Amino acid sequence: MIRKALPFAAALVLALLPLGTQSTYLHHVMVLWMLYALLALSLNVIIGYLGELSFGHAAFFGLGAYASAILTMQTGVPVWLALIAAGLVAGLFGFVIGYVSLRIVGPQFAILTLGFGSIIYTVTNYWDDLTRGPMGINNIPPVTVPGVGPLGEARDYYFVVVACVLAFAYACHALMRSRTGRAFLAVRENAPLAASLGIDVFRTKLLGFVAATVVAGIAGGLYAHYLRVITPELMSLQYMAALIIMVVVGGRGTVVGPILGALIYVVLLEVLRAFGPLRLIVFAALLTGSVIFVPHGLVSLWRPWRRRADPAIRPEPAP
Amino acid sequence: MTGAAPLPLIEAVDLTRAFGGLVAVNKVSLAVHTGEIVGLIGPNGAGKTTMFNMLAGSLAPSAGTIAFEGRDVTRAPAHERARLGIARTFQITSVFPMLTTRDNIRTATYRTRGAGWLASTFRTAAWRRDEAAIDAVADEVLAFCDLAAQADIRADALSYGEQRRLEVAIALAAAPRLLLLDEPAAGLNPEEGQRLVGIIRKVRDRGVTVLLVEHHMRVVMGVCDRIVVLDHGARIAEGTPQEVAGNADVVRVYLGREQAHA
């Protein structure tokens, strides 16, 4: 009973969180948390469910951000349409890159994604005519909700982004209870055995990879229209690493883990702001410590949760 | 073979596989008919595993053809053969280690059952029906393979014998027409081996045809209707267990050696 009610209660608290404070600063931090949570959840599909490491995920976030910003500013399409386009653009790149790389597994795949991510970052940095290079794009129009008008405050954005996070988190949860989701885990656990059961390993991986990049693109679009300024730095190696930290520290293969990981990242980023680039050392230490001491992420510390939740969460062997 | 003979479930014709200069399997033909339990035996290096992998689709033949129910599958990848109804086990124990025994079996129903992601998102009636059906399959297969008590244990925590039974359970949950078993009794103690033989014998009653590659003579003699013997990549004998055991060539290349060791 409690176990069934808990996810709903958590979702409700998350949805109403900004009502607990008047501070626009805290609202801002909450929006960033949700944006990163959406991104981390999408990366979790690749790392947690498919079991492949991708270093290039921030590039798809950036592609979405740039696609949405450029589309709205140069063609005047409404923001909601541009957000869909952002997902499609990122997904198209995801399809091409995935099609080329996903036949390769393990560290080689991770390095390929790093290569593709770096190419996208570099092109964005130097294609001045389209992206304005390292200067970035500013004055990006805000999200406009039909019937409400343009969103002005961080709190309003929070409700939009949290809706996306909750919808996608539920979609992931549902995925793990479907034939498709079981195929994802089968591919992660044992690809030859998966193939022997009729699962097309390559197509399953491509499906998960493209879905993850579409969501990353939408997250990027939301980010662009929220901050209204973007630079190529959001595709840099620092962000790619940060995303992996969120997923691994929080708990890969779970729905709660990446959301928790994003919270830890955003809070640390703010708390340690005074330390400047030294923060990176803290993040690296966090990742190292987490891999050694809680290899299945912080969510694995909460035992009752993992006993009978997602099949993707690894239950402990019985004594 | 006469024209009146029924179409074999799987038929390999002149199957050949060379690794560089080494011809591991040389023009071996083999047919398995529906309802049979056929054993493929031979001493180490005879080409059994190569033959098995070509039938299962994890190794491409250099020459020859494979037909499943009269349909050419020589070039079909493993997952396509699986979709036609060919299930297999692996020589080295192969399960989904981080999933529970039950989830291993649930996952194996991929070929025949299960609603997609949209159906599970909206919890449609079709999805609920399918999940219930999958649970029923899992319960049945767990009982069939003596694994009911281990249902909620993670597969990597099972004993070796249990893992080997789980492999068979996974293959059966895929509801195959043909089950290819690659040395299922390898590494099992006699008691566990007997338990597995019992399960294989029962498998036929489910309407599943079995092709078994095996090294353990006791297993093959006890369970197979017909045995094909390979040596140095060529077929040297075929017949009932009694015929094969009495065949001078077989005794020379295989049984004699085994008896000498025993």
Side-chain angles (χ1 to χ4, degrees):
Chain A
M1 186 61 200
I2 291 173
R3 199 168 280 152
K4 277 204 162 170
L6 202 57
F8 291 102
L12 195 66
V13 169
L14 206 59
L16 302 177
L17 200 58
L19 302 180
T21 171
Q22 293 295 319
S23 158
T24 45
Y25 167 71
L26 282 181
H27 289 161
H28 170 69
V29 173
M30 287 175 194
V31 176
L32 286 183
W33 172 25
M34 282 301 115
L35 284 167
Y36 286 133
L38 188 56
L39 196 51
L41 275 172
S42 71
L43 181 59
N44 180 51
V45 173
I46 301 170
I47 295 183
Y49 299 153
L50 292 176
E52 293 291 349
L53 198 54
S54 172
F55 284 110
H57 211 57
F60 299 105
F61 180 70
L63 277 171
Y66 271 89
S68 193
I70 291 169
L71 261 177
T72 47
M73 294 176 76
Q74 298 199 351
T75 68
V77 300
V79 172
W80 64 268
L81 199 62
L83 285 172
I84 294 172
L88 293 180
V89 168
L92 186 68
F93 274 82
F95 179 80
V96 172
I97 292 171
Y99 196 86
V100 174
S101 345
L102 281 167
R103 291 181 200 276
I104 297 159
V105 295
Q108 288 90 338
F109 171 77
I111 289 168
L112 261 179
T113 59
L114 180 63
F116 280 115
S118 305
I119 291 170
I120 292 170
Y121 168 61
T122 309
V123 169
T124 311
N125 216 353
Y126 286 92
W127 194 352
D128 277 3
D129 296 340
L130 186 70
T131 66
R132 298 192 205 160
M135 304 269 295
I137 298 177
N138 51 27
N139 284 325
I140 301 167
V143 172
T144 306
V145 176
V148 180
L151 299 182
E153 290 181 35
R155 203 181 65 181
D156 303 335
Y157 274 93
Y158 181 88
F159 293 124
V160 172
V161 186
V162 82
C164 294
V165 169
L166 290 176
F168 188 57
Y170 175 71
C172 288
H173 169 83
L175 174 73
M176 286 301 110
R177 275 152 185 74
S178 74
R179 179 172 179 262
T180 318
R182 284 191 288 269
F184 279 28
L185 297 189
V187 163
R188 174 190 82 189
E189 292 287 299
N190 189 336
L193 181 57
S196 84
L197 296 170
I199 297 167
D200 186 334
V201 172
F202 176 71
R203 278 190 54 173
T204 301
K205 282 187 180 180
L206 191 59
L207 177 69
F209 192 78
V210 171
T213 55
V214 167
V215 174
I218 293 172
L222 286 166
Y223 178 90
H225 295 286
Y226 170 63
L227 284 186
R228 307 184 61 184
V229 182
I230 51 173
T231 68
E233 284 314 298
L234 57 94
M235 304 187 199
S236 65
L237 191 61
Q238 186 187 327
Y239 278 92
M240 301 192 185
L243 286 176
I244 291 173
I245 291 174
M246 291 176 213
V247 176
V248 173
V249 171
R252 68 200 116 141
T254 71
V255 167
V256 177
I259 300 177
L260 189 64
L263 175 65
I264 291 166
Y265 180 79
V266 170
V267 167
L268 279 181
L269 206 63
E270 293 302 318
V271 171
L272 303 175
R273 196 163 278 285
F275 294 93
L278 275 176
R279 286 180 293 186
L280 297 180
I281 295 175
V282 176
F283 291 133
L286 188 67
L287 179 64
T288 313
S290 149
V291 167
I292 294 172
F293 298 111
V294 264
H296 299 313
L298 289 174
V299 286
S300 69
L301 296 176
W302 193 10
R303 285 172 171 276
W305 182 261
R306 73 174 166 172
R307 277 228 88 74
R308 186 155 173 80
D310 282 76
I313 305 172
R314 298 146 179 209
E316 278 297 286
Chain B
M1 207 172 271
T2 63
L7 192 66
L9 186 60
I10 192 165
E11 183 172 31
V13 178
D14 289 341
L15 219 49
T16 301
R17 171 71 201 204
F19 295 99
L22 174 81
V23 182
V25 171
N26 192 9
K27 292 196 170 178
V28 173
S29 297
L30 176 80
V32 180
H33 291 85
T34 303
E36 279 189 305
I37 300 182
V38 175
L40 184 64
I41 66 167
N44 281 331
K48 303 185 297 285
T49 298
T50 305
M51 187 73 192
F52 185 93
N53 286 334
M54 286 192 286
L55 293 175
S58 52
L59 188 68
S62 310
T65 58
I66 304 165
F68 184 70
E69 297 187 306
R71 174 178 181 164
D72 182 67
V73 295
T74 313
R75 301 279 153 214
H79 68 263
E80 279 177 23
R81 290 185 209 201
R83 285 176 190 182
L84 293 174
I86 303 178
R88 66 167 295 180
T89 63
F90 293 77
Q91 198 171 101
I92 295 165
T93 315
S94 192
V95 296
F96 300 120
M98 303 295 189
L99 304 183
T100 63
T101 303
R102 179 186 296 278
D103 282 336
N104 265 270
I105 296 170
R106 287 174 54 88
T107 303
T109 59
Y110 181 87
R111 184 175 86 87
T112 51
R113 281 178 203 284
W117 165 74
L118 270 180
S120 76
T121 298
F122 296 103
R123 308 178 91 82
T124 61
W127 172 75
R128 266 176 278 149
R129 219 172 28 241
D130 260 2
E131 289 297 295
I134 289 169
D135 278 330
V137 169
D139 283 335
E140 190 273 323
V141 173
L142 281 167
F144 187 86
C145 293
D146 282 346
L147 285 166
Q150 287 80 19
D152 297 316
I153 297 178
R154 228 168 72 161
D156 62 353
L158 296 176
S159 76
Y160 182 72
E162 287 163 352
Q163 285 185 355
R164 298 243 71 155
R165 291 210 302 280
L166 176 56
E167 283 201 273
V168 176
I170 289 171
L172 287 180
R177 312 277 274 287
L178 174 67
L179 175 59
L180 303 172
L181 295 169
D182 196 357
E183 303 205 7
L188 293 184
N189 65 38
E191 186 197 330
E192 287 171 328
Q194 277 314 307
R195 205 164 170 185
L196 195 76
V197 166
I199 290 170
I200 295 169
R201 227 180 253 131
K202 284 194 298 176
V203 162
R204 186 207 329 239
D205 303 334
R206 300 169 69 98
V208 180
T209 305
V210 179
L211 177 66
L212 177 75
V213 166
E214 193 43 84
H215 205 75
H216 276 237
M217 288 309 297
R218 221 172 269 121
V219 172
V220 190
M221 292 299 172
V223 79
C224 294
D225 305 314
R226 196 155 59 82
I227 291 175
V228 174
V229 188
L230 293 185
D231 186 39
H232 294 299
R235 199 169 94 162
I236 59 164
E238 179 181 351
T240 64
Q242 290 71 29
E243 287 167 0
V244 166
N247 181 302
D249 284 338
V250 176
V251 172
R252 183 174 49 76
V253 305
Y254 196 126
L255 298 179
R257 232 176 287 173
E258 171 137 310
Q259 277 158 6
H261 284 294

